[in-house]
Amino acid sequence: MEIKLTISAEQLTEGIKFYGETRADEKVVERINELDDILWDVCVDIDNLRVNLIDRPEASAKDILKAIDKLQRNINRTLPCLD
């Protein structure tokens, strides 16, 4: 059985901060690595959808592509602050 849960960005990033204590900061690194895995999977799934819709003539497919393009632009805009 698959259980789906609605979760907010605040819940995903809860506790992710600098503590200045080795063990606590190691837990933050683990949490960030878990988020990296999740975000990677999401990006791959969205990109696979984009590839499958590129040549579709339906208006709804084009709407999905526009939404994906907007998402990718927003992600790209945040990348400089992550460097």
Side-chain angles (χ1 to χ4, degrees):
M1 172 176 32
E2 184 177 333
I3 299 173
K4 294 189 179 192
L5 176 70
T6 301
I7 189 165
S8 70
E10 292 166 342
Q11 290 169 312
L12 284 173
T13 59
E14 184 178 344
I16 295 180
K17 63 181 183 177
F18 175 69
Y19 290 92
E21 192 278 312
T22 302
R23 184 65 192 132
D25 290 338
E26 286 173 350
K27 289 182 181 182
V28 171
V29 171
E30 289 173 20
R31 187 78 183 269
I32 291 170
N33 288 334
E34 290 170 354
L35 285 173
D36 178 59
D37 291 341
I38 292 168
L39 293 173
W40 175 259
D41 289 343
V42 168
C43 288
V44 167
D45 288 347
I46 295 293
D47 195 57
N48 286 337
L49 175 59
R50 183 190 62 77
V51 168
N52 289 329
L53 294 177
I54 288 175
D55 294 324
R56 300 294 305 211
E58 297 88 351
S60 58
K62 293 177 183 190
D63 290 342
I64 293 169
L65 285 170
K66 287 178 189 174
I68 291 172
D69 287 343
K70 179 182 174 187
L71 174 64
Q72 289 176 331
R73 280 193 309 275
N74 287 338
I75 290 170
N76 289 337
R77 281 196 342 230
T78 64
L79 291 179
C81 74
L82 295 176
D83 288 334

